[in-house]
Amino acid sequence: GGKLVMESPSQPSGAPGRRRTLEGNLLTFDFDEEGRLAELQARGRNVTLTLEPAEGTGEEEKRVITRRFEAFFSPETGELTEARCSNGVEFYQGSLRAEAEAGRYDPDIERMTLTEAPKLWDSSVRLEAETIQIDVASGNLEAEGAVRTTFNQEDSSESESPALFPAS
């Protein structure tokens, strides 16, 4: 029953920092020769990563649930460089839900890439493809390979634009 809470400091632009909470049955930390965090692994039935929005931003909380989580950090800056989920992954953001067998998060571009039978849905539409990319900051989506979309007739008649594909 491990729990790690990471709080990023306020940004140079004055934007508030964010809180990330990682919970799992087993947390393993690997450090480099100088004692700096290089890799973090979490395993368990429901390893949960919660990304809390900074106060006043209006962003929604994001949650990732998986069985195996690996995160890699830059020893020089301590910043997250990549995170991988395997053995099943679920992603939640507001009414949006996604699942796949594997996922990868790239913090430089704030993108979650779901692979191996990914599915994504909300109350209006369901999306399946070979790869689904979610821009975590904006909520924009990109799907590639055998893309299939199914609209819920009851909900899609209520508005011109389903919630998954907001009007621009």
Side-chain angles (χ1 to χ4, degrees), residues 30-108:
D30 289 328
F31 298 92
D32 68 7
E33 309 79 40
E34 296 180 30
R36 300 175 295 194
L37 181 62
E39 184 177 345
L40 166 64
Q41 294 185 23
R43 293 190 178 113
R45 173 174 236 124
N46 287 313
V47 174
T48 303
L49 174 63
T50 304
L51 307 170
E52 296 178 30
E55 287 187 37
T57 62
E59 293 179 21
E60 296 178 312
E61 179 180 273
K62 297 150 186 92
R63 182 167 286 155
V64 176
I65 300 173
T66 187
R67 287 183 172 249
R68 182 173 179 168
F69 176 83
E70 297 176 286
F72 303 91
F73 299 86
S74 165
E76 292 79 27
T77 66
E79 292 293 318
L80 177 68
T81 59
E82 178 185 13
R84 292 185 226 152
C85 303
S86 56
N87 298 339
V89 58
E90 299 173 28
F91 176 82
Y92 300 88
Q93 181 176 349
S95 65
L96 182 69
R97 181 173 177 188
E99 61 183 39
E101 284 302 310
R104 179 181 177 274
Y105 177 68
D106 183 340
D108 290 336

